[in-house]
Amino acid sequence: MEYLEFELPIKELEEQLEKCQIIGEESDVDVTETCKQIEKKLKATKKEIYKNLTPWQRVQMSRHPNRPYTLDYVKALCGDSFLELHGDRNVKDDKAMIGGLGKIGDQSFMIVGQQKGYNTKTRQYRNFGMANPEGYRKALRLMKSAEKFGIPVITLIDTPGAYPGLEAEERGQGEAIARNILEMTRLQVPIITIIIGEGASGGALGIGVGDKVLMLENTWYSVISPESCSSILWRSWEYKEQAADALKLTATDMKKLKLVDEIIKEPLGGAHSDREKTFLAVRDAILKTHEELKNLSPKDLVSSRMEKYLEMGVFKG
């Protein structure tokens, strides 16, 4: 288990508890009472830390190396029913963007999402979750297939941004994202979007237009990452915490600004601290949201989606 800087008091207490239990097992000393006291203190410390996270700490939580990624959710929600589909029928198969058909309960979904790696080798293979234009074109191809067969779409967002390399720009990165936004606004099947980690910039928006947009509690969604914002405004990464505050990028801020529809609660300690509980919460949220959307006609679906996005940023005096 890896700990973030602000989690170090928890780490210390967990180590103390472990030592206490070992002493109890290896000797005749009764340490039950001491263990109970440490457990009580550990519980209180966890509550204190996780209930008062700053925006920057939430950004750190969203990047936690143990946090579940798109394929973890797919495996947990769909099991063996998931069939991954590859390629954009144009350039190549983008490993940073995965997609395919899967069943959650009795309902089939087309699932599309960014995938990060969990060690150096897989991070390079997945291009750190940063999709090229062909990734967005693959996503659109799959969404169009879903529309053809009347299958609802789920998109899982977890990216530090679209890949900014020269070759990506040459192949039309901006156009690919803009095309996806346009096509998703008028897709005639329900779209459920969930931010499961980082939701940065156009890279997130390229698969982020949904009838309902949900955010896990310790994730962020913003036009720019705090580090990039800090380096533009202050010419240094040192002010990333101030930038995170100013950007209003947390799930609570997003809900308040009516940019997302719902926050999915995470277990105390973040999504990675109890994966099963997180998967269950996401599954329930998907099925509940699908229940709300499934009886809408394609015409109503598209018009209410358009309405939802047209109302963003509008102030009524």
Side-chain angles (χ1 to χ4, degrees):
M1 183 71 173
E2 292 191 43
Y3 294 86
L4 300 166
E5 202 178 320
F6 63 88
E7 294 176 310
L8 291 178
I10 295 167
K11 184 188 180 184
E12 278 172 34
L13 286 168
E14 282 181 347
E15 283 171 358
Q16 279 176 28
L17 182 62
E18 202 180 319
K19 279 175 193 166
C20 186
Q21 286 164 342
I22 290 166
I23 291 166
E25 284 164 21
E26 292 178 353
S27 70
D28 298 331
V29 184
D30 184 11
V31 291
T32 322
E33 201 50 47
T34 315
C35 284
K36 271 186 186 169
Q37 282 178 342
I38 298 170
E39 273 175 4
K40 198 178 169 189
K41 197 177 178 192
L42 179 61
K43 213 174 181 183
T45 308
K46 275 186 174 181
K47 254 186 186 161
E48 179 65 28
I49 287 174
Y50 294 121
K51 288 277 183 283
N52 301 300
L53 291 177
T54 65
W56 172 244
Q57 286 169 340
R58 289 202 192 275
V59 170
Q60 289 176 290
M61 290 283 276
S62 77
R63 297 170 176 166
H64 199 290
N66 301 121
R67 198 176 173 87
Y69 296 139
T70 295
L71 280 173
D72 298 317
Y73 284 95
V74 168
K75 199 176 175 188
L77 301 177
C78 306
D80 296 332
S81 71
F82 184 67
L83 172 71
E84 191 175 349
L85 301 165
H86 299 272
D88 71 334
R89 300 288 182 270
N90 190 7
V91 178
K92 63 178 181 182
D93 183 41
D94 190 335
K95 300 291 187 287
M97 184 79 76
I98 63 120
L101 288 161
K103 266 191 169 181
I104 301 175
D106 297 326
Q107 176 64 49
S108 292
F109 290 96
M110 180 65 82
I111 303 169
V112 175
Q114 287 109 349
Q115 174 66 24
K116 291 176 175 175
Y118 47 85
N119 59 27
T120 308
K121 198 176 178 182
T122 54
R123 281 179 195 131
Q124 287 176 323
Y125 180 71
R126 298 287 178 188
N127 200 30
F128 300 87
M130 298 188 290
N132 276 283
E134 47 274 17
Y136 292 99
R137 291 181 179 126
K138 168 166 78 169
L140 183 59
R141 178 177 78 80
L142 299 186
M143 289 189 258
K144 282 292 193 185
S145 297
E147 181 183 49
K148 188 177 175 183
F149 297 106
I151 296 167
V153 172
I154 296 170
T155 67
L156 301 173
I157 294 174
D158 185 13
T159 181
Y163 183 59
L166 182 65
E167 62 274 31
E169 299 297 345
E170 283 172 349
R171 290 197 297 274
Q173 184 73 286
E175 189 276 341
I177 291 170
R179 169 76 51 198
N180 276 24
I181 294 170
L182 169 68
E183 296 292 350
M184 283 179 88
T185 53
R186 55 192 189 193
L187 205 71
Q188 297 191 353
V189 288
I191 308 170
I192 303 165
T193 295
I194 305 172
I195 296 143
I196 59 167
E198 302 185 87
S201 190
L205 281 182
I207 58 167
V209 179
D211 299 292
K212 292 279 182 195
V213 181
L214 318 176
M215 259 180 109
L216 279 158
E217 196 180 354
N218 294 311
T219 62
W220 62 277
Y221 197 21
S222 173
V223 68
I224 195 169
S225 73
E227 293 95 329
S228 303
C229 175
S230 170
S231 63
I232 289 169
L233 294 180
W234 289 283
R235 299 272 182 270
S236 157
W237 275 26
E238 273 176 42
Y239 300 92
K240 54 189 181 287
E241 291 178 42
Q242 278 169 258
D245 279 338
L247 284 166
K248 298 276 177 270
L249 43 64
T250 66
T252 320
D253 292 323
M254 286 286 137
K255 181 103 170 27
K256 210 179 277 179
L257 294 166
K258 294 187 169 65
L259 297 175
V260 302
D261 302 286
E262 206 178 301
I263 299 168
I264 303 171
K265 290 283 284 178
E266 288 185 25
L268 193 69
H272 55 281
S273 66
D274 188 343
R275 286 176 166 228
E276 296 314 311
K277 204 172 173 185
T278 306
F279 296 145
L280 211 59
V282 169
R283 184 180 193 273
D284 292 346
I286 288 170
L287 294 176
K288 178 175 155 276
T289 308
H290 178 251
E291 204 59 38
E292 291 168 17
L293 300 170
K294 70 176 185 185
N295 295 322
L296 291 174
S297 70
K299 194 181 174 188
D300 290 343
L301 208 56
V302 173
S303 65
S304 67
R305 194 186 302 145
M306 294 256 192
E307 197 60 40
K308 170 188 159 84
Y309 282 92
L310 285 169
E311 276 182 6
M312 285 181 184
V314 173
F315 288 88
K316 293 186 175 82

